[in-house]
Each structure stands twice: as C-alpha cells, then as structure tokens.
C-alpha cells in the first residue's frame, strides 16, 4: 500500500495523484529492503543501505499535480521577472516580416502582404483582420495585435463579461483554406485540453467569417525573451524549465496529441511556473492528413516523411534546451539536426551527463531517443540533481526507480580487509513490478545459499517461462557462480526481449566479473548514454575504468557520484583509491571523509585512511601525514590485534623514513606522538609486535616474537 508521505530519502513531500509534491517522483511501490543476491552479509550492517527490490513502471496520471510541485523539485531558484502590463505588449505596426511570408499551400516565398502565390495561385493575406476597438462575439474587445505565429495573428482582448484579459488567435493568412481547416480542428478538441502547464482555451468564436480561438492570457515572459535578455542560461535553471514542461507533453501524448512546434517562443514563465502558450500546431497523433507545422532547427528530421510523433516532440525539447544553454552555430544549416562536439563546445566538455542527455533527446533516429516524456523528465531530474550538487557542493540524493542502492555494505565482512574495485559493488537492477514473476522473485532473492537460490530460480522459470526478469535473475546467479559461458548464451537468447540498455548492463557486469574491463567499459558507456540522469551507470563505468588502469577517468565519474549522493559508498572508496594512485594523498583522505559517521562502513573508511596516510607506494608520506595517522589510530575502536597491526605499519613507515631522511627533517622531540627518536620508534614497534603475539598462536606467535626481537632498540644491558 502506498503511503501518503513520500518514502524517498531526504524528502518530506506528500503523495498526490501518485506523485510527490516535493521531489516530483512517483510513489514507491512493492518495495522491500532486501540484500541483493547473496544475503550473507553481517547482520550488524545498517539496513538503511539495503537495496529496494522492485521498480514501478507507472506513468504520471495526475493532471493538476504539476502546479503543486516547485519548479525543478525545489532544487533551483528562478530569478524574479518584472511584471509586464498587458497593453504594453501591443505592436505599434503589426506586420509580417518578408522572411516569414510563405505560401500555406506550396511553401513558396511570398514577397507582398497580400495577393496570389506565383507558384500555385493560392490567394493569401498577411494583413491583420482585427483592429483595436473591434468587438468580437459581443463579448471580447480587441485591444490590438501582440504577436504573430505559424498559424495566425495573436491579439490582446478584454472579456467584458468576466472582466479579464484574453488572447484571440486568428489566421496569419486569412485566405489560406488549409489554415482555416486547422482552426476548425482546434475548436473540436483543444477545449478539452486541461493541464496547469498548458494555456487554457476558453472559447471558439466567429467574426466576419473568420474563426478565432479565445485563450487564457498569461502574464509572463517567453523563454525566447529571457534568453535574449540574459544570454545563455545557467545549466540548472534551463534543465528545470524543460523538466517542468515535460509534464505537459506527457499529458498531451496520453491524450493522443502532439504539440509539433515547440521552441522558446512558445513557452512562457509566469509566477515561477511554465505554460505552453501557442496551441496552433497541436494535432492528433493518428491524423495522417493533418497539416504539419514546425520550425527549422527545432523540428525532427523525420517529420516530413513520417509526420509528427511523441518522439519528434521530445526532439524539439532537446533542441530547445540546447538553445537555452549554448550559442548553436549553423542552427538551421550545419547543425540543423546535430549538436557541436564536446571538443567544440566547452559546456559539453564540462557537463558530460548533460551532453549525453541532449544527444539522446536529439538522436537522428526516433527509436534512439527517450521512449516517453515521463522517461525524459525522470532523467532530467536526475541530471538536475547532479548539476546542482556539483555547482553548490551540497549533495542531492534520491532513490532511483531503476537501480537498487549501493550493495557494498552487504559485501564487507571485516573492518580491516581492504576494499578493492569489484563487479559486485555495481548496484543491482530493480525487478520490474509488472513482471508476472515479480513477487516470487522477491522471495527467491532472500535465499542466502547461492545454490538453493539458483535452484529456486530455475523453478520460477518453469512456472513463468515468459518472465524476462526471472531469466535475468538466473543470469545474475550464473555470473556469481562464474559460469560465464552459460550466462553469455542466456543473454543472447534475451536479445529483443529487453531494452538494449538493460542487455548492455548485464553484459557489462558479466565482462567485469570475467576480468574483461575493456569490453565492460563499452557496455556501461552505452547504459550511461541511455540513462544520463542515473548514478548507477556512472559508478559501474568508474569501477570498470579503475580496473582497466584508467584512474583519471574513474576519478571523474566517482567524483560525480559522491558529490550527488554520498550514500554510494563504493564511489567514496573508489575515489580514494584512484586519487591515491595519482599521488593525491590529501584528495584520497578527503574522499574517505565523505563516508558519514553513522555509516556501518565508517570504521572501514578510517582504517583505509590510516593505510593511505602511511603508504609510501606512490610518494613518501610527510610528517603531518604520519601525525594524522597516529591520531586516527588512537581514536579507532578496533579489536586489540587489528589496532596493534596498524600501529606496527605506522612505526615501520616512520622508521624507514627516519633512516633515509636528513637529520634536519627528523621529528623535533621525543614527546611527539610519532616517537621521533629512532630508539623510541623501535621500542614502540617492538611493543606493537609483542602485543600482537599475545593474540596469536602457533607459528604466527613465534614469528611475531622473533620480529619484535629483531627491531628492539640496541641496549648495553
């Protein structure tokens, strides 16, 4: 049962119409806190780090929920805009520029304001048909023209009956029968369109034989005006705008409609919210004979041949986002359907996830774009969290609807065993709650013994032969048991039954388990491009890059994950390892400091910090490093033998450095915690070895005592 309170971490919102009024995410369904796969982890590990085991595939259904959610899920603040008096927008000389005059019948260029097309003979007129003072339908007083668009003149009017400003939209070319037919179609279905982010259609009236749409007047500024006034917008702000408007597109698509001509001109910012303001190009998805309207540079390449679709709408949103963020050279020519490369555009080089998101939204082939407006909105929200976290230094964690949480907490069995890069640290994919075997698979996931769990999965597959989720869980079991060949064949058999990114995810996991980090990187790159707003693909790619010996690439990815959501502890430990490999000892310690003090792996992070502070592999530690290590050891609450072992490592490092350092760099006084005098260091080392011997037995005990005798300071007694 779904709670009225949002269950996502760090969110206090309420669930309304199935979605949170704060974070904007769907309510969590059928979720349980289960250890992924192998559940043999220590019972003392915090259950707050466990993975949610199912994912919901539901879509947004609430029509009014968007207006109750803050823009950008409350992650960004939108600059206040000055209010504009309605009549201040009136055009003093309303006319259509020559470069905007085209024949609605054959698309030929028209030079005069009215006449007949020289190509096809179609009669046309671009002169406004309404003048200030005209009274339409004995109710709407025309105040004047305020703009012109693809289908008609737009007038400011005043509703005498309800005492409010309205917008009247007529025909740009009053002699164009095709445009007139579109206006009639608008009257038939636009009045039923009700969404808080779409301008309201009040009425449809006739005046002197011309059809006019009466629409809500929106007091605000178009994104085109904002872009023109302020220049390139901040990344977070632009993403927040597109994330918000996608709810309107999701609604239209569910109603069987496509918007067709989205661009910065057609969306307005009013009182911190957005609205689509021009419904002239909206048409039914299944209307093969409807006219197609669009704008060069925004329209998708397949529009002319295949007509508009939900995918072509998403293309226009991707192009609009790009226009808000960068100066796009050759917008209607060289880059009419493409984007500059990361080498050509500095912002794309800096914002890798953003660039991948734009590439996916504006892919040449529709099937390579986002599958729906809801999917694009979810990825944009994840991207927004990442951008805000990197810009402000404040984490913005949120649970994923596709991936479970970091499984590292279930893998660590000892506080002193080093944590290395491992494919098992990759977050698991959540089980699709709509799969027929979902509930049965949840129960199977709780089986601790791998062999028994695999047997149960085989039984589930017999019971649900068409369950792709059951087959994927069986493949995971084959990977765990190192039966890579069977896992590979099973994945091949699933081709076409699961999304490409999902197949790539499991293939990458298989490659990584089989020590083929190069191929694993290729798979996780594919997932990253498909889901640019998710953190799990970045973590998986970072682990693969680290294992492939590419620490700098791994650092970039680990850092993004840690900054956005510090709960991904695998990223913190990985970042520390890679920074240390790059001789950045202080950066490595800073990464480990990101592990929260209330985490079950906090002690592990302190132990690793001690080891990195005294490790001389990449560069000799400085006296302050050893001093910090000594303080950490003193503060650790480790069992005796493990604590003395760390002390031994510290004193051996100090002794080695002391023997090679000039006398002037030796610790200043015997009172130092580092026991600066060689004799005192040897004495402390001897004591740590003898203390370890007390915890040991047999041969190990003898070896520790012998080692203590060898390092003891030389005395005359």
């Amino acid at each position: 049962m779904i709670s009225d309170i949002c269950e996502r971490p760090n969110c206090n919102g309420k669930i309304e119409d199935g979605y949170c009024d704060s974070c904007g995410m769907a309510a969590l369904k059928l979720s349980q806190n289960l250890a992924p796969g192998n559940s043999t982890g220590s019972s003392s590990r915090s259950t707050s780090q466990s993975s949610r085991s199912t994912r919901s595939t539901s879509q947004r259904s609430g029509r009014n929920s968007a207006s109750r959610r803050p823009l950008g899920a409350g992650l960004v603040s939108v600059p206040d805009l000055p209010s504009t008096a309605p009549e201040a927008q009136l055009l003093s000389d309303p006319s259509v520029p020559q470069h905007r005059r085209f024949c609605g019948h054959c698309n030929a260029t028209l030079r005069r304001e009215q006449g007949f097309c020289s190509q096809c003979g179609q009669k046309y007129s671009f002169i406004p048909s309404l003048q200030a003072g005209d009274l339409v339908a004995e109710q709407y007083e025309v105040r004047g023209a305020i703009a012109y668009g693809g289908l008609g003149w737009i007038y400011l009017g005043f509703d005498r009956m309800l005492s409010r400003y309205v917008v009247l939209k007529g025909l740009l070319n009053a002699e164009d029968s095709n445009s007139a037919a579109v206006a009639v179609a608008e009257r038939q279905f636009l009045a039923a369109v009700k969404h808080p982010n779409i301008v309201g259609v009040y009425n449809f009236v006739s005046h002197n034989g011309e059809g006019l749409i009466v629409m809500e007047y929106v007091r605000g500024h178009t994104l085109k005006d904002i872009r023109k006034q302020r220049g390139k917008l901040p990344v977070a702000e632009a993403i927040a705008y597109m994330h918000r408007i996608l709810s309107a597109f999701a609604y239209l698509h569910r109603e069987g409609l496509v918007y067709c001509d989205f661009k910065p001109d057609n969306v307005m910012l009013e009182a911190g919210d957005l609205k689509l303001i021009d419904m002239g190009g909206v048409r039914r998805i299944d209307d093969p004979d409807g006219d197609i309207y669009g704008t060069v540079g925004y329209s998708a390449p397949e529009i002319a041949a295949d007509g508009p679709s939900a995918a072509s709408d998403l293309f226009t949103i991707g192009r609009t986002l790009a226009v808000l963020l960068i100066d796009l050279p050759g917008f209607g020519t060289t880059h009419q359907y493409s984007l500059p490369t990361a080498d050509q555009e500095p912002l794309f080089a800096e914002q890798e996830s953003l660039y991948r998101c734009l590439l996916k939204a504006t892919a040449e082939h529709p099937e390579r774009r986002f599958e729906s407006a809801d999917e694009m909105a979810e990825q944009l929200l994840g991207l927004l969290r990442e951008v805000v976290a990197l810009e402000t230094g404040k984490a913005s964690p949120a649970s994923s609807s596709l991936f479970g949480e970091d499984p590292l907490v279930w893998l660590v069995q000892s506080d002193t065993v080093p944590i290395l890069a491992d494919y098992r640290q990759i977050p698991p994919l959540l089980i699709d709650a709509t799969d027929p075997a979902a509930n049965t698979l949840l129960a199977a996931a709780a089986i601790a013994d791998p062999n028994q769990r695999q047997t149960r999965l085989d039984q589930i597959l017999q019971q649900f032969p068409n369950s792709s989720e059951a087959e994927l869980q069986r493949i995971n079991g084959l990977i765990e048991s190192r039966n890579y060949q069977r896992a590979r064949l099973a994945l091949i058999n699933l081709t076409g039954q699961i999304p490409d990114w999902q197949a790539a995810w499991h293939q990458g996991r298989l490659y990584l388990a089989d020590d083929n980090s190069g191929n694993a990187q290729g798979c996780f790159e594919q997932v990253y491009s498909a889901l640019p707003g998710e953190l799990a693909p970045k973590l998986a790619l970072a682990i693969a890059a680290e294992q492939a010996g590419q620490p700098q690439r791994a650092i970039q990815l680990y850092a993004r994950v840690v900054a956005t959501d510090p709960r991904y502890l695998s990223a913190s430990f990985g970042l520390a390892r890679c920074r240390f490999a790059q001789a950045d000892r202080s950066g490595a310690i800073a990464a480990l400091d990101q592990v929260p003090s209330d985490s079950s792996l906090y002690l592990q992070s302190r132990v690793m910090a001690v080891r990195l502070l005294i490790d001389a592999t990449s560069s000799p530690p400085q006296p302050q490093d050893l001093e910090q290590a000594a303080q950490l050891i003193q503060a650790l609450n480790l069992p005796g033998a493990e604590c003395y072992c760390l002390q031994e490592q510290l004193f051996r490092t100090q002794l080695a450095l002391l023997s090679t350092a000039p006398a002037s760099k030796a610790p200043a006084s015997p009172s130092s915690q580092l026991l600066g005098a060689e004799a005192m260091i040897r004495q402390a080392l001897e004591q740590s070895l003898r203390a370890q011997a007390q915890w040991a037995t047999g041969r190990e005990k003898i070896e520790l005592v012998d080692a203590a005798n060898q390092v003891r300071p030389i005395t005359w007694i």
Side-chain angles (χ1 to χ4, degrees):
M1 183 175 182
I2 303 175
S3 170
D4 291 337
I5 303 300
C6 184
E7 296 180 351
R8 297 184 183 277
N10 301 321
C11 182
N12 298 318
K14 294 182 179 179
I15 300 300
E16 297 180 0
D17 299 326
Y19 287 81
C20 176
D21 63 359
S22 177
C23 68
M25 302 296 289
L28 294 172
K29 297 182 179 180
L30 297 178
S31 60
Q32 297 182 18
N33 288 330
L34 294 176
N38 187 349
S39 59
T40 59
S42 170
S43 61
S44 64
R45 301 294 173 189
S46 169
T47 57
S48 65
Q49 296 293 333
S50 59
S51 299
R52 297 192 180 276
S53 54
T54 61
R55 56 187 169 93
S56 169
T57 57
S58 63
Q59 294 184 338
R60 298 181 185 273
S61 58
R63 294 188 177 187
N64 298 319
S65 60
S67 64
R68 294 191 292 266
R69 298 196 306 270
L71 187 67
L75 297 170
V76 297
S77 297
V78 178
D80 292 331
L81 297 175
S83 178
T84 303
E87 300 197 19
Q89 300 184 51
L90 296 176
L91 299 176
S92 58
D93 181 24
S95 61
V96 180
Q98 185 172 332
H99 70 275
R100 295 288 303 276
R101 300 176 193 166
F102 296 96
C103 176
H105 185 262
C106 69
N107 206 38
T109 301
L110 303 173
R111 295 184 178 180
R112 293 180 295 177
E113 287 190 311
Q114 61 182 356
F116 296 88
C117 176
S118 60
Q119 299 293 324
C120 66
Q122 173 72 41
K123 188 177 180 180
Y124 68 88
S125 174
F126 294 113
I127 298 175
S129 57
L130 296 180
Q131 304 298 322
D134 289 351
L135 186 63
V136 175
E138 299 183 354
Q139 180 178 352
Y140 308 106
E141 178 188 344
V142 178
R143 297 296 173 87
I146 57 175
Y148 51 88
L151 285 179
W153 277 102
I154 302 173
Y155 305 92
L156 177 68
F158 188 79
D159 187 337
R160 289 183 172 181
M161 184 177 298
L162 298 177
S163 298
R164 64 183 180 185
Y165 283 99
V166 295
V167 168
L168 297 96
K169 187 174 185 300
L171 297 178
L172 177 62
N173 184 350
E175 303 295 338
D176 185 353
S177 59
N178 288 332
S179 295
V182 171
V184 172
E186 286 182 337
R187 178 179 57 185
Q188 294 174 348
F189 65 83
L190 287 184
V193 174
K194 305 295 181 184
H195 188 277
N197 296 115
I198 299 177
V199 65
V201 176
Y202 295 148
N203 202 354
F204 190 94
V205 297
S206 295
H207 182 75
N208 294 335
E210 179 183 2
L212 294 167
I213 306 170
V214 182
M215 296 181 293
E216 169 191 7
Y217 174 75
V218 181
R219 295 175 179 266
H221 300 259
T222 67
L223 292 187
K224 177 183 179 180
D225 292 338
I226 294 173
R227 174 67 168 86
K228 185 176 180 180
Q229 294 167 7
R230 294 173 50 197
K232 292 178 283 189
L233 300 185
V235 175
E237 181 182 342
I239 294 174
Y241 291 150
M242 295 303 98
H243 171 260
R244 173 58 122 225
I245 209 64
L246 277 163
S247 67
F249 279 85
Y251 165 77
L252 289 174
H253 296 164
R254 283 195 297 272
E255 297 295 314
L257 305 173
V258 284
Y259 188 81
C260 297
D261 193 22
F262 183 70
K263 51 190 175 183
D265 317 49
N266 292 342
V267 60
M268 185 167 284
L269 180 64
E270 178 195 36
D273 207 356
L274 297 178
K275 284 200 176 186
L276 290 172
I277 59 171
D278 189 348
M279 302 294 285
V282 176
R283 56 170 279 181
R284 298 190 183 279
I285 294 178
D286 57 359
D287 180 6
D289 301 320
D291 289 331
I292 301 172
Y293 294 89
T295 302
V296 174
Y298 293 98
S299 297
E302 75 277 4
I303 283 288
D306 302 330
S309 64
S312 65
D313 270 356
L314 300 186
F315 183 95
T316 64
I317 295 174
R319 294 289 291 184
T320 298
L321 178 55
V323 167
L324 295 178
L325 292 171
I326 66 170
D327 294 325
L328 194 54
F331 181 69
T333 54
T334 306
H335 288 300
Q336 181 176 351
Y337 301 122
S338 63
L339 296 171
T341 65
D343 292 335
Q344 297 169 328
E345 174 52 54
L347 179 65
F348 292 163
E350 175 188 345
Q351 299 282 355
E352 180 181 1
S353 299
L354 168 67
Y355 186 42
R356 289 177 186 251
C357 185
L358 289 172
L359 288 176
K360 182 172 177 65
T362 61
E364 179 181 359
H365 301 288
E367 62 273 11
R368 295 182 181 176
R369 298 172 200 153
F370 292 103
E371 292 185 0
S372 67
D374 281 327
E375 182 195 18
M376 185 173 178
E378 185 168 5
Q379 292 306 307
L380 276 182
L381 182 57
L383 175 57
L384 180 60
R385 293 184 183 281
E386 178 183 317
V387 170
V388 170
L390 291 172
E391 288 181 350
T392 65
K394 297 180 180 179
S396 181
S399 296
S400 169
S401 64
L402 298 174
F403 297 92
E405 297 174 3
D406 190 346
L408 181 62
V409 67
W410 301 99
L411 301 174
V412 175
Q413 302 297 311
S414 170
D415 290 317
T416 57
V417 175
I419 295 177
L420 304 177
D422 191 311
Y423 82 95
R424 293 175 299 170
Q425 296 169 14
I426 297 174
L429 265 180
L430 298 181
I431 296 173
D432 187 347
T434 64
D435 188 274
N439 291 332
T440 310
L441 290 171
L442 288 177
I447 300 175
D449 183 84
N451 295 327
Q452 294 180 9
R453 186 168 63 250
Q454 199 69 4
T455 299
R456 180 60 183 134
L457 288 173
D458 291 338
Q459 296 171 349
I460 294 174
L461 268 174
Q462 293 179 359
Q463 182 181 358
F464 301 97
N466 296 323
S467 170
S468 58
E469 289 291 345
E471 182 64 14
L472 289 174
Q473 293 303 310
R474 189 176 73 89
I475 289 172
N476 285 336
L478 292 172
I479 295 174
E480 288 180 17
S481 61
R482 299 181 178 274
N483 200 332
Y484 303 136
Q485 186 59 29
R486 285 185 60 193
R488 192 168 288 109
L489 291 174
L491 269 176
I492 293 174
N493 292 334
L494 272 179
T495 301
Q497 300 180 40
I498 58 177
D500 291 344
W501 69 262
Q502 198 172 114
W505 178 261
H506 286 87
Q507 189 67 60
R509 191 169 183 270
L510 172 57
Y511 277 131
L512 204 56
D514 198 16
D515 295 327
N516 191 337
S517 55
N519 285 346
Q521 280 182 280
C523 292
F524 293 136
E525 288 278 5
Q526 181 180 342
V527 182
Y528 184 6
S529 293
L531 303 171
E534 297 287 343
L535 292 178
K538 300 179 182 70
L539 176 57
L541 184 54
I543 293 173
E546 180 183 358
Q547 289 196 341
Q550 301 173 13
Q552 193 55 46
R553 173 60 171 158
I555 286 173
Q556 295 172 348
L557 295 161
Y558 279 138
R560 286 183 175 273
V561 175
V562 172
T564 308
D565 192 344
R567 298 175 304 171
Y568 282 92
L569 300 181
S570 293
S572 295
F573 284 96
L575 183 59
R577 291 191 303 267
C578 292
R579 281 180 172 169
F580 184 77
Q582 296 288 86
D584 182 9
R585 180 177 275 106
S586 61
I589 302 304
L592 293 172
D593 289 342
Q594 294 292 317
V595 178
S597 59
D598 59 353
S599 168
S600 60
L601 295 182
Y602 180 72
L603 183 57
Q604 177 83 30
S605 73
R606 300 301 86 197
V607 171
M608 183 174 181
V610 170
R611 288 177 172 148
L612 296 185
L613 285 167
I614 63 179
D615 192 324
T617 303
S618 58
S619 62
Q622 300 301 308
Q624 61 268 26
D625 297 326
L626 300 178
E627 189 76 36
Q628 184 179 356
Q631 294 173 357
L632 285 174
I633 292 174
Q634 188 175 5
L636 290 177
N637 185 22
L638 283 173
E642 296 176 349
C643 181
Y644 294 135
C645 183
L646 284 180
Q647 289 180 352
E648 176 196 348
Q649 296 175 38
L650 171 63
F651 296 140
R652 285 191 182 280
T653 301
Q654 175 65 5
L655 194 61
L657 293 177
L658 194 63
S659 64
T660 58
S664 60
K665 292 187 178 182
S669 68
S671 62
S672 169
Q673 291 187 49
L674 298 178
L675 304 175
E678 180 178 350
M680 298 189 70
I681 295 175
R682 287 184 174 275
Q683 184 179 10
L685 178 56
E686 176 193 4
Q687 291 173 354
S688 67
L689 288 166
R690 295 192 187 281
Q692 290 181 67
Q694 294 179 3
W695 294 81
T697 59
R699 183 64 185 171
E700 181 184 3
K701 185 181 188 74
I702 296 174
E703 291 175 349
L704 286 168
V705 172
D706 288 343
N709 291 332
Q710 290 175 2
V711 300
R712 63 180 295 181
I714 300 175
T715 63
W716 295 104
I717 300 176

